[in-house]
Each structure stands twice: as C-alpha cells, then as structure tokens.
Amino acid sequence: MTVLSEAVLADPIALTRALCDIPSVSGDEKAICDAVEQALERLGHLTIQREGNTLVARTDLGRDRRVMLAGHLDTVPVNDNFPTRDDGDVMWGLGTSDMKSGTALALWIAATVPDPRFDLSFAFYDCEEIESDRNGLNKLSKSRPEWLAADFAILLEPTYGLVEAGCQGTMRARVTTHGKRAHSARSWKGENAIHKVAPVLERLGAYEARVVDVEGCTYREGLNAVRIGGGVAGNVIPDECWVEVNFRFAPDLDEKAAETHVREVFDGYDVEVTDSAPSCRPGLDRPEAAEFVAAAGGEFAAKLGWTDVARFATLGIPAVNFGPGDPNLAHKQDERVELPRITACAEALRAYVTGAHR
Amino acid sequence: MTVLSEAVLADPIALTRALCDIPSVSGDEKAICDAVEQALERLGHLTIQREGNTLVARTDLGRDRRVMLAGHLDTVPVNDNFPTRDDGDVMWGLGTSDMKSGTALALWIAATVPDPRFDLSFAFYDCEEIESDRNGLNKLSKSRPEWLAADFAILLEPTYGLVEAGCQGTMRARVTTHGKRAHSARSWKGENAIHKVAPVLERLGAYEARVVDVEGCTYREGLNAVRIGGGVAGNVIPDECWVEVNFRFAPDLDEKAAETHVREVFDGYDVEVTDSAPSCRPGLDRPEAAEFVAAAGGEFAAKLGWTDVARFATLGIPAVNFGPGDPNLAHKQDERVELPRITACAEALRAYVTGAHR
C-alpha cells in the first residue's frame, strides 16, 4: 500500500499533501525518495536514474527539445508544523510552501502527461536546505551532468505563481582589521583592531547599491555586513576584528567581477572571499522560456534571492523559478499554501508541456 | 615532615621556592592553605582564623596601629612551568612572580618578626585568579570584614619592588544597536544593526582619555572596545550588534561617576553596565603609608591595573601594591623572579615593621 497511489498522483493537491506528510528533513530523505521512485517506476513510460536520494526521470520521445522540471525533496526542521492540516482553501504545514507543492507539480506532470510536446526530464533531489556540498542537484551537476541535460529548466521553488527569472549571485567575504594586543589598563601600548573597523562599517553604510536591468528584469543589489566578531578577553585590547559581508549581485556580473568589486570597496583592508555562488541570467530570450512565460500568464520578475537555477546556468541551461508556494513563508512555522494557487500553477504547467495554451 | 620547616620559614628565597612547589591552581588551594596554617600554628605568637582556604593570622600586642600584609595562594593553570628551577640569580616557574614570592614575604615576616612596631595581620587567600565571587579576600570582606581590620594594607602583588599606590577602577558596559531583520537578498527591507555601530566605534577611536594626578600619583585612563559581536546568519540582515567596552578610571572617580561618564560618551545608545570594580585612592597621606614608601626607597607610582587593594579601599583601608615579582611576567609561561629582588623587598618590609629604617 503506497501513499502515492494512482489517484493521489492524478491530483496536485492530494499529491502535495501526501509528499508533505512523509517526513524528510534534510539528510533524512530516503523514505520520500523511495516513495517517489516506486511511483515513477509504476508509470512505465519514464527512464529512471538514482544517485543517493536524488532521482532523475526522463521521457525519451525523440523530441527536438528537452525541458527539465526540478524540485527538492527535503525540508527545514520540523517546528510544531507536521503533518499538514487543511483549513478551507489553505493547506498548512512544513514543506507546503517550500517546496513540496512545487515538487508535487513536477511529479504530477510526470504521472499525467506521458506524451508532452517536448521531451521532459524530472529531477527530485535531497539536501537543498543545508550546506551546498551536500545538495543533491549540486552533486549531480558534477558527477552526472549528462543526467541534467536540457534546453530549459523550471525550478518549482515558491514564487507565488509568478515566473521569477534568473537569480542574483551571492558572495561572502571577511574583512579583517589587525592591531596589537595589550592589557586594557595600559591601552596605549596596544592598537585596537575593533576601533579600526569603523571605516569599514562607514563604507557599508554609505554604499549605494546598483539597480540593474538585465533582459527586461530589474535586479537590485546589496552589500551588507551579516556578522561581526572580535575580542580576546574583557581586559585585553583586541588585535583582530572581522566583518563578514554579503554581496548580492545582478546577473550582469560573474563571480570574478563580483570579487573585484568587493575588493575595490574595501581597498586597503585584508579581504578574504569565503563563499560564493554565481548569478544566473534570466534567459527569457530563449523560445522555450518565452513560451513558458506566455503559458504562465505573461508576467515575470527578477529573482533577487539565490536559488538552484544558478546550477543549471553553470551547465549552460537557462532556468526560471516558478511555483505555487509563497516565498515569504519559507522556513516559517506558519508555512502554508493556497490550494487555488496549486491548481493555477498546475494548469499553466500542463498547458505549457502539452501546447494547449497556444 | 613539613616542607615549611623552621629553616625554610627563615629564608625568603627558600620559602618562595617551597610555596611555588606546592601546586595550587585556583580552586585547588587546600594543600597549600593547610601547610601555611600548620606553619603559622607552630609559631605560637599569632591568632589564626580560617574560612575555606583563606587564612587570617594576627599579632595582638596592643599596638596603636595595625598593618595588614596580604597575598593570594593560587596560581593560573600550569603551563609546562612546574615545579621551579633555579638558574643563577633567577628562579623560574609558575607562581614565582605572581605572587608566591610576595606571599612568601608576608609569611616570612609572620615567622621572623614576633615583636613588630605595629600590630600585624596576615591574609593568605584563595581564588584570586578567577571570577570575583570566588575570590577569598572578596568573600571575607563581606562575611568577616572584622578579620581584615587594619590602618594600612600592603598587597604583595608583583610590582618589581616599586610601591604602586591605589588602583584604577574598571567597568565593562555593553553598547547595543538595534535594527530589523530581513533576507540579505532584499536588504532594503531591513535595517542593519552592524552598520549602525560605526558611530560607536568612531566615538571610541576619537576618545581622549584623561591623565589625572591624584595625591601625587599620575593615573592614565582608557576607554576601549574589548569585544564585539553581531549577526544571525550569512543571509540575514542583523537586527542587533553589541560592543563591549572597558573603562579604566582614575581614583578620583567612584563607580557611579564612572557609569555616568560612560553613559554620556554613548549618549543616544542602549548602554548596560555588565561588570564593575571600584578604584582605590593611593592614600599616601596616611603616616603608615608614607613611612612604608620611605622604607621601600622613597619611590612610588600609580597602579594602573586593578588589584585587590580596591577591596581594602571599600573597607576604608588605604592600601598599596608592593612585591618582588615582575608584573609583565604574570600569567606567562616563562614566569620568573630575580632572587636579589626578593631579598631587597624582604629587607624593606622588615625595616618597615621593625622600625630599623628610621
């Protein structure tokens, strides 16, 4: 007896509920991945490949283009919001918004559209909510990039039903000041590294972030301190202080250009880049992408946050974010999804892959 | 067989070595306190009182004035510097400088001067190197202040043979800025509390510390950041940042005045005093103190660091620091004491309590 029965697979709302009610906090995705794999196998029209708790399924109909639908299987930790509960037109619970309502749509298309106008690939992956080197899509993009081959990808992250194109890049850097330790009763014998960080913070406060148009999408950058630390003991003049800054950069900059910019802003300081993820251009000039925007109602916006679409970008695949969840509810205790929005997104996706919208 | 034999008690250098070679890291002072207590009992001319591992011994000769000699029994943790070793005129090892060479002098005076010109009290106490509320002298100043009664006190902390008068007070305060959290990809929706700390650091950098003369001693104040912290996560605009500042203040300010000053400097910010210890006036106008300075060679200086002399000050007892150790070697792995300096300090103390210097 499987929870992902034929009836459930045929109903995006029931499928969302069923996926949400299988616990799958990051690192614990075996049960949900097994359930999805068994459901896909029963369909019979898909080729299925698995690595760890990441699955890729594909049609092989010989179409001239291939579109990827992707969603992660994991959630952030349970926060007194499991399992789901329904309240009228709203389903509450962990994963409803981020992103099992989106992942359910990929699985629903896989189950109910055996004869799409493009060849379709479906990726269901683990560990999206934790460190990047455990992310199933990231791992697959290195170990099995051919499994991800496509002309266009739709990542079903929560966008509240709007097509969000590309994504901004993100870079973290540590700006460090140096001084000289001394006993704080004889402070003039030292050099206070915390005091020296004032101009770094002033530059951040005075920083004017760019607003950039890329392919019709407006990206708004930001450069901010996200963490600060320094100090040895309550009676010691500190010899080191650091500020961790986070630069969110528009898709007209690659990581190298972003690093150059951060180093320019903090010219004269010790700057170390600690973490970085590329931006992704919107790619709406591609016909597959333009057709999808049309199917989804014609509206689109820039994606400001970083998402796994950038992993497709690094493989040369344009990608957009599109899903029924509300991005403002992601990771919140009161996470929920509106049932009519699941239905509307399902219809847009179905129209797109079947050509019914034309 | 005791290590503190009559022959050892009669020799300040041998006594320093014997005390150093009894391990007594803070919290583990029972053995050394027992040894000192037994040695004092054998002398026969002293009244001895003990609370925990803190001892007070006293003469009761009916003199019109009473002088206290005090030293702590504990050391910082062993750092590959136990037991002592001699090298020519230098004794190396844990506690040699801070402060068993000083504590040894108090015990040596107790053992060898049964007929001093003042009544003498001797305090040997535990847990000086750790948190204030475990400090034996601090505890006694609250539970048994009458045991500490005296007209003048000499604390045998390392001063390299110079009389260091009074001490500066020390106050720690936390200055906090507040903002509003937001995702760092949409930083304009938040308010960055780390950026807001820039003016706090500017005020610290621009602060002009006072140089104050009190009773002929020159005190140099300082106001410094000693620790800073803030931040929620690498992708969150932080809603709080704090700077811990340490104010070292001259003995013309009491704790209340010091707090008022700190609040004035950071006017407009959220300021919380987290820790405070009073200053101590030099008290060199007292005849007992002036006579001691004369016996010790006539030179004196202000004590800039905070020491337990302030505990005597809160009991209304003027106090100075005076000991053979080198304050710059305290808590260092290569701690050591110069044997001729032990001898010189011993002679000065003996001259003072016997009147031989006059």
Side-chain angles (χ1 to χ4, degrees):
Chain A
M1 178 72 187
T2 172
V3 292
L4 303 184
S5 65
E6 199 173 332
V8 167
L9 285 169
D11 174 356
I13 292 170
L15 190 47
T16 296
R17 186 180 299 113
L19 290 178
C20 288
D21 289 345
I22 302 173
S24 62
V25 174
S26 306
D28 191 22
E29 295 93 339
K30 184 173 187 304
I32 194 168
C33 191
D34 287 350
V36 172
E37 186 176 22
Q38 287 155 21
L40 292 169
E41 277 171 351
R42 284 198 315 274
L43 297 171
H45 67 276
L46 297 168
T47 306
I48 300 164
Q49 292 166 300
R50 178 168 177 166
E51 185 173 273
N53 291 322
T54 293
L55 285 174
V56 176
R58 46 186 291 147
T59 64
D60 282 300
L61 302 167
R63 306 284 193 256
D64 60 350
R65 291 180 294 174
R66 176 173 293 279
V67 170
M68 162 73 77
L69 302 181
H72 62 80
L73 295 168
D74 60 323
T75 67
V76 295
V78 177
N79 184 11
D80 198 22
N81 54 3
F82 181 91
T84 55
R85 64 182 174 83
D86 283 12
D87 182 8
D89 268 356
V90 177
M91 187 192 304
W92 296 71
L94 180 66
T96 48
S97 198
D98 181 14
M99 61 174 282
K100 288 181 176 175
S101 56
T103 303
L105 293 188
L107 190 51
W108 174 72
I109 293 286
T112 60
V113 186
D115 188 35
R117 68 187 177 113
F118 318 113
D119 266 311
L120 294 178
S121 295
F122 304 92
F124 303 98
Y125 61 101
D126 65 345
C127 293
E128 193 270 349
E129 298 290 5
I130 53 172
E131 58 271 30
S132 174
D133 59 3
R134 292 180 63 187
N135 179 307
L137 191 66
N138 185 31
K139 286 161 73 174
L140 215 56
S141 72
K142 290 164 184 169
S143 64
R144 305 280 189 176
E146 67 279 8
W147 291 9
L148 299 176
D151 298 289
F152 176 57
I154 301 168
L155 183 64
L156 292 136
E157 285 276 10
T159 66
Y160 210 53
L162 184 66
V163 178
E164 292 192 338
C167 76
Q168 295 204 119
T170 177
M171 175 168 289
R172 267 174 281 274
R174 189 177 265 241
V175 184
T176 306
T177 56
H178 302 280
K180 195 181 144 201
R181 283 193 200 186
H183 196 287
S184 64
R186 292 175 196 79
S187 53
W188 55 93
K189 294 195 171 179
E191 243 179 84
N192 197 314
I194 295 178
H195 296 186
K196 285 186 179 182
V197 99
V200 173
L201 300 183
E202 275 163 48
R203 289 185 200 182
L204 284 165
Y207 184 79
E208 297 197 16
R210 291 192 311 156
V211 177
V212 188
D213 186 283
V214 180
E215 298 172 18
C217 291
T218 303
Y219 292 91
R220 188 164 171 181
E221 296 186 332
L223 178 62
N224 273 278
V226 288
R227 279 189 277 238
I228 191 167
V232 177
N235 61 353
V236 177
I237 300 302
D239 58 347
E240 193 175 293
C241 183
W242 54 267
V243 186
E244 185 182 337
V245 300
N246 182 210
F247 182 38
R248 299 282 175 153
F249 53 97
D252 64 333
L253 297 185
D254 62 15
E255 286 169 282
K256 194 161 172 232
E259 177 172 346
T260 300
H261 179 67
V262 169
R263 290 190 181 278
E264 276 168 8
V265 171
F266 300 110
D267 186 38
Y269 289 89
D270 173 4
V271 177
E272 183 196 3
V273 173
T274 54
D275 180 33
S276 164
S279 60
C280 172
R281 295 185 74 94
L284 299 181
D285 51 344
R286 301 278 192 111
E288 301 85 355
E291 285 170 23
F292 178 64
V293 170
E299 305 233 353
F300 61 91
K303 184 74 176 175
L304 301 178
W306 193 91
T307 75
D308 274 335
V309 298
R311 304 202 194 277
F312 291 108
T314 60
L315 297 172
I317 305 167
V320 299
N321 302 277
F322 174 77
D326 179 345
N328 297 315
L329 296 174
H331 306 188
K332 297 210 167 151
Q333 200 273 334
D334 61 347
E335 186 175 347
R336 58 194 181 270
V337 66
E338 298 168 15
L339 306 186
R341 207 159 290 274
I342 297 179
T343 305
C345 288
E347 283 167 6
L349 274 174
R350 188 179 181 92
Y352 174 61
V353 299
T354 60
H357 68 289
R358 289 182 299 187
Chain B
M1 179 69 188
T2 171
V3 292
L4 302 185
S5 65
E6 199 174 332
V8 167
L9 285 169
D11 175 354
I13 291 171
L15 190 47
T16 297
R17 187 181 298 113
L19 290 178
C20 289
D21 290 344
I22 302 173
S24 61
V25 174
S26 307
D28 191 21
E29 296 93 339
K30 184 172 185 306
I32 194 168
C33 190
D34 288 349
V36 172
E37 186 176 23
Q38 287 155 20
L40 292 169
E41 277 171 350
R42 283 198 316 274
L43 297 171
H45 67 278
L46 297 168
T47 306
I48 301 162
Q49 293 166 299
R50 178 169 177 165
E51 185 173 272
N53 291 322
T54 293
L55 284 175
V56 176
R58 47 187 289 149
T59 63
D60 282 299
L61 302 167
R63 306 282 194 258
D64 61 349
R65 290 180 293 173
R66 177 173 293 279
V67 170
M68 163 72 78
L69 302 181
H72 63 80
L73 294 168
D74 60 322
T75 68
V76 296
V78 177
N79 184 11
D80 199 21
N81 55 3
F82 181 91
T84 57
R85 63 182 175 82
D86 283 12
D87 183 8
D89 270 356
V90 177
M91 187 192 306
W92 296 71
L94 180 66
T96 49
S97 200
D98 181 13
M99 62 175 283
K100 288 181 176 175
S101 56
T103 304
L105 293 188
L107 191 51
W108 174 72
I109 293 286
T112 60
V113 186
D115 187 35
R117 66 185 179 114
F118 318 112
D119 266 311
L120 293 178
S121 296
F122 304 92
F124 302 99
Y125 62 100
D126 65 344
C127 293
E128 192 271 349
E129 298 290 4
I130 52 174
E131 58 271 30
S132 173
D133 58 4
R134 292 181 63 188
N135 179 306
L137 191 65
N138 185 30
K139 286 162 73 175
L140 215 56
S141 73
K142 290 166 183 166
S143 64
R144 306 280 188 177
E146 67 280 9
W147 291 10
L148 299 175
D151 298 289
F152 176 58
I154 301 168
L155 184 64
L156 291 138
E157 285 276 10
T159 66
Y160 209 52
L162 184 67
V163 177
E164 292 191 338
C167 76
Q168 296 204 119
T170 177
M171 176 168 288
R172 267 175 280 275
R174 189 176 265 241
V175 183
T176 306
T177 56
H178 302 280
K180 194 180 144 200
R181 284 194 200 186
H183 196 288
S184 65
R186 292 174 196 80
S187 52
W188 55 92
K189 295 196 171 178
E191 241 180 88
N192 197 313
I194 294 179
H195 297 187
K196 285 186 181 182
V197 99
V200 173
L201 301 183
E202 275 163 48
R203 289 185 199 181
L204 284 165
Y207 184 78
E208 296 199 16
R210 291 193 310 159
V211 177
V212 189
D213 187 282
V214 180
E215 299 172 17
C217 291
T218 303
Y219 293 91
R220 188 166 171 179
E221 296 187 332
L223 178 63
N224 273 276
V226 288
R227 280 190 275 240
I228 191 168
V232 177
N235 61 353
V236 176
I237 301 301
D239 57 348
E240 192 175 294
C241 183
W242 55 266
V243 186
E244 184 182 340
V245 300
N246 182 210
F247 181 37
R248 298 284 174 152
F249 53 97
D252 64 332
L253 298 185
D254 62 14
E255 286 169 281
K256 193 159 174 236
E259 177 172 349
T260 300
H261 179 67
V262 169
R263 291 190 180 279
E264 275 167 9
V265 171
F266 299 110
D267 186 39
Y269 288 90
D270 174 3
V271 176
E272 182 196 4
V273 172
T274 54
D275 181 33
S276 165
S279 59
C280 172
R281 295 185 74 95
L284 298 181
D285 51 345
R286 301 277 192 114
E288 300 84 356
E291 285 169 23
F292 179 63
V293 170
E299 304 232 353
F300 62 91
K303 183 74 175 176
L304 302 177
W306 193 89
T307 76
D308 275 334
V309 297
R311 304 202 193 278
F312 290 108
T314 60
L315 297 172
I317 305 167
V320 298
N321 302 277
F322 174 77
D326 179 344
N328 297 316
L329 297 173
H331 305 188
K332 297 212 166 147
Q333 200 272 333
D334 61 348
E335 187 175 347
R336 58 193 181 272
V337 67
E338 298 168 15
L339 305 186
R341 209 160 287 275
I342 296 178
T343 305
C345 288
E347 284 167 7
L349 274 174
R350 188 181 180 92
Y352 174 60
V353 298
T354 61
H357 67 290
R358 288 183 298 188

